Amino acid sequence: MNNKILVLSNSFGGLHSFRKEVFQALRDNGYEVYISCPIGEDTQKAAWFENIGCKNIDMQFNRQGTNPWADFKLMLRYRKLIKEIKPKAVLSYTIKPNLYGGMACALCRVPQIVNITGLGAAVEYPGLMQKFTIFLYKLGLRKTTLAFFQNDANRQFCIEHGMVKCKTQLIPGSGVNLQHHVQQVFPAESEPIRFTFVSRIRREKGIDEYLAAAEAIKQKYPNTEFHVLGGCEGDYEERLKALHERGTIVFHGRQADVRPFFGQAQCTIHPTFYPEGMSNVLLESCATGRAIITTDRPGCREVVDNGVNGYIVKEQNSADLIEKVEQFIQLPYEKRKAMGLAARQKVEREFDRQIIVDAYLKALEGI
């Protein structure tokens, strides 16, 4: 019986943060797991997989590159790897492993299970890049066995444009580990009302709208704090440091463990207009027992029951965000606390990571 599984991905960091429970379950169920992924600076996280018995293969490639010759060579390297390992199935994550791994699987006639974690900006807007990306999906996933999607909007787009012809299944994002992200005690009524923004600091993640809200709200409600966590892209660092010095925000930079920061806040604000698969920030904040305010986008709206565990706002609309933040502040303390409890209950019902683990095990049993 062939029990070999080959995994293709672009980051050990992502695998460790959001998928390690799947890998542990594969090992517990007797699968021999090979992981092809760039190691780079993720040596400690890569070592975790080796410690549970996985075999790591350092497959270097440019995740952001658009060189067709380099991508073709990546497909050939995947093909060679598949021929050497002869896996029962290939599991792939992220765009290049999905597409070029899919081409290699088709050539080798090996079943592939892809996880579409988001379609990215290239598919978001009509134009030549969108047409080319759709063509790549059609080519790369033409023989795929099963495609997991993290939100229904992405699934419908791919089906309508003929990007997938295989069986599709909706899963609740990457889910959230409810034992790691535990419900924390809600901040006391005497404490400032704290909001937190956790993300890469870039325009598409809604940082400008968040900062506009912080400046407007701080003037009217001095007993509020606006925290920002994340590594900066572009020229945001100096601006954030200046706002920190003025007391408008509290800038923490990139943090390895965000759980304490979710815990000290009453609400997480995620005003993104970036194409999301399913927002892990929102899932982790809800698991902590905190309300959320986010945009009406696929991968975000699914986590919000509007008015119950948070609020939905219009994307790229600072005025609407300010209005919803003020609405949250004006709620009685017990109502804000109840929103946090409702957030925890929602992820327990709908986003437990065990749902994803079970989906993978069942899919592999069917091959």
Side-chain angles (χ1 to χ4, degrees):
M1 176 181 169
N2 186 353
N3 67 341
K4 294 180 180 179
I5 302 296
L6 173 61
V7 178
L8 310 178
S9 187
N10 71 2
S11 165
F12 271 105
L15 292 179
H16 184 269
S17 296
F18 307 120
R19 317 192 196 288
K20 60 179 179 288
E21 294 83 1
V22 172
F23 288 81
Q24 185 66 66
L26 291 175
R27 293 292 298 131
D28 291 345
N29 281 268
Y31 288 104
E32 189 176 345
V33 180
Y34 297 79
I35 305 174
S36 169
C37 188
I39 293 179
E41 297 179 356
D42 290 328
T43 53
Q44 288 186 334
K45 291 174 181 177
W48 183 90
F49 292 95
E50 288 188 334
N51 290 338
I52 66 167
C54 299
K55 298 175 177 64
N56 293 343
I57 301 160
D58 187 9
M59 180 72 75
Q60 294 292 329
F61 61 92
N62 187 340
R63 290 180 290 181
Q64 307 295 331
T66 56
N67 184 323
W69 176 240
D71 291 339
F72 178 71
K73 289 195 291 185
L74 175 63
M75 187 277 291
L76 292 179
R77 284 188 286 159
Y78 281 151
R79 178 171 172 264
K80 181 181 178 183
L81 194 58
I82 291 168
K83 285 191 168 186
E84 289 174 353
I85 294 173
K86 297 181 175 62
K88 170 181 178 173
V90 170
L91 312 182
S92 60
Y93 302 92
T94 66
I95 294 174
K96 287 194 177 185
N98 280 346
L99 300 186
Y100 300 108
M103 295 176 195
C105 286
L107 290 172
C108 298
R109 298 183 180 180
V110 171
Q112 179 199 25
I113 299 173
V114 303
N115 191 317
I116 310 292
T117 55
L119 294 177
V123 179
E124 180 81 357
Y125 306 106
L128 287 176
M129 183 56 72
Q130 185 194 67
K131 290 178 180 178
F132 179 67
T133 305
I134 289 173
F135 167 75
L136 280 180
Y137 270 87
K138 288 180 177 180
L139 183 62
L141 305 184
R142 70 190 188 280
K143 297 289 185 180
T144 298
T145 306
L146 171 64
F148 285 125
F149 285 89
Q150 299 198 357
N151 66 68
D152 196 51
N154 283 174
R155 178 167 71 166
Q156 292 304 321
F157 184 93
C158 286
I159 292 172
E160 289 168 8
H161 289 80
M163 295 157 69
V164 293
K165 296 182 180 178
C166 61
K167 179 183 176 183
T168 65
Q169 183 176 338
L170 199 61
I171 56 174
S174 299
V176 61
N177 185 325
L178 296 170
Q179 286 70 50
H180 182 70
H181 292 278
V182 300
Q183 183 174 356
Q184 298 186 38
V185 176
F186 201 76
E189 188 172 7
S190 59
E191 295 182 42
I193 299 176
R194 300 185 183 94
F195 298 89
T196 188
F197 175 100
V198 180
S199 176
R200 287 175 292 160
I201 311 299
R202 56 185 297 183
R203 187 180 68 87
E204 294 86 351
K205 292 290 187 175
I207 184 63
D208 292 332
E209 289 73 26
Y210 182 80
L211 296 178
E215 292 190 271
I217 294 293
K218 281 290 290 184
Q219 292 180 13
K220 191 171 181 180
Y221 300 92
N223 191 39
T224 57
E225 292 179 4
F226 288 81
H227 294 253
V228 177
L229 286 80
C232 290
E233 298 182 13
D235 56 356
Y236 279 104
E237 189 161 0
E238 290 304 315
R239 181 181 173 191
L240 293 177
K241 286 180 177 178
L243 288 170
H244 178 92
E245 291 298 321
R246 284 164 43 190
T248 305
I249 64 167
V250 183
F251 179 45
H252 301 277
R254 187 173 181 179
Q255 296 291 320
D257 186 0
V258 297
R259 290 174 297 173
F261 299 92
F262 284 136
Q264 73 177 5
Q266 291 193 19
C267 178
T268 295
I269 300 177
H270 190 55
T272 181
F273 54 99
Y274 184 82
E276 306 273 358
M278 185 67 67
S279 170
N280 291 299
V281 165
L282 295 178
L283 295 182
E284 292 171 3
S285 174
C286 286
T288 307
R290 300 299 179 263
I292 53 176
I293 298 175
T294 190
T295 44
D296 187 16
R297 289 191 60 87
C300 295
R301 67 170 76 106
E302 293 86 349
V303 192
V304 186
D305 293 329
N306 198 38
V308 178
N309 70 322
Y311 297 111
I312 290 177
V313 298
K314 299 170 186 174
E315 61 184 85
Q316 292 184 270
N317 190 320
S318 300
D320 191 35
L321 179 58
I322 291 166
E323 180 182 325
K324 294 302 192 302
V325 170
E326 191 166 12
Q327 195 172 330
F328 180 80
I329 291 169
Q330 291 176 350
L331 289 173
Y333 170 77
E334 290 300 328
K335 176 61 177 175
R336 297 196 300 270
K337 189 175 180 180
M339 273 192 163
L341 177 60
R344 173 70 188 191
Q345 291 170 341
K346 183 172 179 66
V347 294
E348 287 178 351
R349 288 193 311 270
E350 302 176 27
F351 295 97
D352 188 340
R353 189 163 290 169
Q354 188 61 41
I355 298 170
I356 289 87
V357 173
D358 293 342
Y360 270 97
L361 293 176
K362 185 176 180 180
L364 288 170
E365 286 173 6
I367 292 176

